[in-house]
Amino acid sequence: NIFHTFFQQAGCDHVLNSKARNDKCGVCGGDNSSCKTLAGTFNDAQYGYNAVVRIPAGATNIDIKQVSYSGKPEDDNYLVP
């Protein structure tokens, strides 16, 4: 195989032909034990801009959902600066 002859895969540890992979927490060779999942509901907005959450550096797999007060699609507006 010409691909295998010229190209070798490296693991997340930057070693050629290594089987090391990132776990779901993003840790190379990790066991998924260092993840911290944060979840919650923000329901106390005032008119204007509101700080809802501060996303920490290194955060991954971020899922932010907005649901309108009335349940109508025209109320689903938001800005993310």
Side-chain angles (χ1 to χ4, degrees), residues 22-38:
N22 286 332
D23 67 1
K24 70 177 184 177
C25 307
V27 176
C28 183
D31 62 0
N32 299 322
S33 66
S34 64
C35 295
K36 181 178 179 182
T37 301
L38 301 176

Side-chain angles (χ1 to χ4, degrees), residues 21-73:
R21 298 290 176 254
N22 286 332
D23 67 1
K24 70 177 184 177
C25 307
V27 176
C28 183
D31 62 0
N32 299 322
S33 66
S34 64
C35 295
K36 181 178 179 182
T37 301
L38 301 176
T41 301
F42 178 80
N43 197 18
D44 192 31
Q46 304 294 321
Y47 181 78
Y49 291 102
N50 294 273
V52 176
V53 65
R54 184 176 300 265
I55 300 170
T60 59
N61 299 323
I62 300 167
D63 184 20
I64 300 172
K65 295 179 183 176
Q66 176 175 322
V67 179
S68 71
Y69 177 77
S70 67
K72 296 178 183 176

